[in-house]
Amino acid sequence: MLNNLKSLEELDSIKTMWDVVVAGAGPAGAIAALVLAQAGCQVLLIDDIPTHTHKIGESLPGASRQILHNLGLLAHIESGSHLPCYGNASAWGTDKLTINDFINDPRGTGWHLDRVQFDETLRLEALRAGAVFSKNRVKEVIQHHNTWKISGKDCQIYSQWWIDATGRSAALAKSQGAICQKDIPLFAIYRWVATSQDDTESRTLIEAAPNGWWYTARLPHQTRVIIFHTNTREATQIQRHPDLWNTYLEQTKHISQYLNKITYQDSHYIIETGGSYLNQVAGHQWIATGDAALNFDPISSQGIFNALYTGMKAGQTVYSALKGDLTAISDYMHRLKTIRNTYYRHHTFIYQSETRWNNNPFWISRKSL
């Protein structure tokens, strides 16, 4: 749907000056664009969106309901193909499962998302609010008097502000001198599998293991994702010897029970998923949001929620700054610092609560947090 919109080259002949350019059209960028467009700003949302059939990152907690409601998005999410998540089951610190049912959570159930559909919904709602989309990629930002000259593929535009929502690369913020501070490396090696009709488990399942931890969730369209989180050494070994992933999976007590219900759809994928943060999340007429500003270890299950929240706050902050309230920038920076500190304390507590393999390299590194 978005691919049918005009390219940046076509837009350049119509409009070259914008209030805000948002680089990156994932959840954080789309929400920032939505907030600004709803406030009446001229917003250009730029991303060279790849074609996906699946996309990693599917857990959205019930705490996000209020944000989605406030932005007018809740009904769209509830009517999508996303599956409700009624709780979590975890074998952490013990080989027995601990159940956390969301029926007791006043914020309600969460979702296991169809991420491709979810991201598309957010972008389309930003466009309905008045933002303009360009399938392109921002290659360079240069200060030009009191505006920014923003270069894409064979074109350039101007904007008062820009928002870096480019994900972990934080490419634009880094070009302004921001530095990414990384936590202990963590890698996710994952596969999507086709499941049988007998697979009706609606909860996420997490299981700690000697050299990392496992996660699985049932997704829409009779699909399940299975992910092994581990350190650099193990990830390298699995890249060289892919059968190790299957061997480690078979050694799990709980997640291995799904093996007789699945058919592998494709080979392994691997991505870096460790926590990180920018030492500078805003500067002169620019701001970073989502994964470009803060990354969370997936054990927190807060990645998409953080993207929604910080995207919303980034949009509100830029709008306030456009109206002359420059204190909004320092408030945003302070808010993200508080989020980071709260996350890090919780992250440390979770890893230190697993004590069964204190002599294994993966867990030793996390005891020194």
Side-chain angles (χ1 to χ4, degrees), residues 27 36 54-55 58 69 80 84 91 101 110 115 117 154 167 201 205 213 239 262 286-287 289 305 310 333 353 361:
L36 287 160
H54 299 297
K55 188 175 181 182
E58 68 294 319
H69 173 75
D101 285 321
R115 266 300 301 277
Q117 182 190 94
D154 305 317
E201 177 58 73
L205 176 59
W213 58 275
Q239 276 190 308
I262 63 175
W286 68 266
I287 196 168
T289 190
F305 176 80
T310 61
M333 296 170 68
S353 66

Side-chain angles (χ1 to χ4, degrees), residues 91 207-214 228 252 354 356-357 360 362-363:
E207 182 172 353
N211 47 8
W213 58 275
W214 290 84
F228 180 48
T252 61
E354 175 54 81
R356 287 176 289 172
W357 302 288
N360 289 39
F362 178 86
W363 297 101

Side-chain angles (χ1 to χ4, degrees), residues 90-331:
S90 61
W92 195 277
T94 174
D95 61 358
K96 296 181 179 179
L97 284 179
T98 299
I99 307 299
N100 176 25
D101 285 321
F102 293 161
I103 192 171
N104 298 317
D105 191 330
R107 298 169 295 184
T109 60
W111 292 274
H112 291 149
L113 299 172
D114 177 336
R115 266 300 301 277
V116 175
Q117 182 190 94
F118 178 76
D119 289 6
E120 183 82 353
T121 296
L122 300 187
R123 288 190 288 265
L124 287 173
E125 289 308 303
L127 302 189
R128 289 193 180 101
V132 175
F133 177 80
S134 171
K135 184 174 172 57
N136 209 297
R137 184 176 295 277
V138 174
K139 301 179 76 69
E140 187 179 45
V141 290
I142 300 175
Q143 273 196 293
H144 183 78
H145 302 303
N146 200 36
T147 62
W148 289 92
K149 182 170 71 172
I150 299 173
S151 300
K153 298 176 184 176
D154 305 317
C155 62
Q156 65 182 33
I157 57 173
Y158 297 86
S159 180
Q160 294 186 57
W161 274 77
W162 53 263
I163 297 177
D164 187 343
T166 60
R168 282 180 174 266
S169 70
L172 303 187
K174 288 179 181 177
S175 76
Q176 302 306 302
I179 298 171
C180 181
Q181 308 283 353
K182 292 188 176 183
D183 297 333
I184 295 172
L186 182 73
F187 291 87
I189 304 102
Y190 59 96
R191 298 181 79 169
W192 284 287
V193 299
T195 63
S196 69
Q197 296 292 334
D198 295 335
D199 185 0
T200 59
E201 177 58 73
S202 64
R203 297 171 296 196
T204 60
L205 176 59
I206 294 172
E207 182 172 353
N211 47 8
W213 58 275
W214 290 84
Y215 166 96
T216 187
R218 184 170 63 93
L219 308 180
H221 318 300
Q222 288 301 133
T223 300
R224 177 172 286 277
V225 64
I226 303 178
I227 310 175
F228 180 48
H229 301 84
T230 191
N231 57 19
T232 306
R233 180 182 176 279
E234 290 291 347
T236 301
Q237 288 298 314
I238 291 172
Q239 276 190 308
R240 294 173 178 169
H241 309 286
D243 286 345
L244 269 178
W245 189 90
N246 303 69
T247 300
Y248 291 156
L249 175 59
E250 290 169 359
Q251 292 171 353
T252 61
K253 179 176 181 179
H254 302 284
I255 293 182
S256 60
Q257 295 180 17
Y258 291 96
L259 293 179
N260 64 342
K261 300 179 181 179
I262 63 175
T263 302
Y264 291 112
Q265 295 180 331
D266 45 31
S267 58
H268 309 96
Y269 297 86
I270 182 168
I271 57 171
E272 185 177 359
T273 57
S276 64
Y277 64 98
L278 283 184
N279 69 336
Q280 181 184 358
V281 297
H284 179 64
Q285 295 174 216
W286 68 266
I287 196 168
T289 190
D291 284 353
L294 286 174
N295 265 297
F296 292 167
D297 183 314
I299 196 66
S300 70
S301 297
Q302 295 293 310
I304 304 178
F305 176 80
N306 177 65
L308 297 179
Y309 180 78
T310 61
M312 178 182 68
K313 289 300 179 184
Q316 293 170 346
T317 298
V318 171
Y319 178 71
S320 295
L322 285 167
K323 294 298 183 182
D325 179 10
L326 298 182
T327 63
I329 303 300
S330 58
D331 290 344

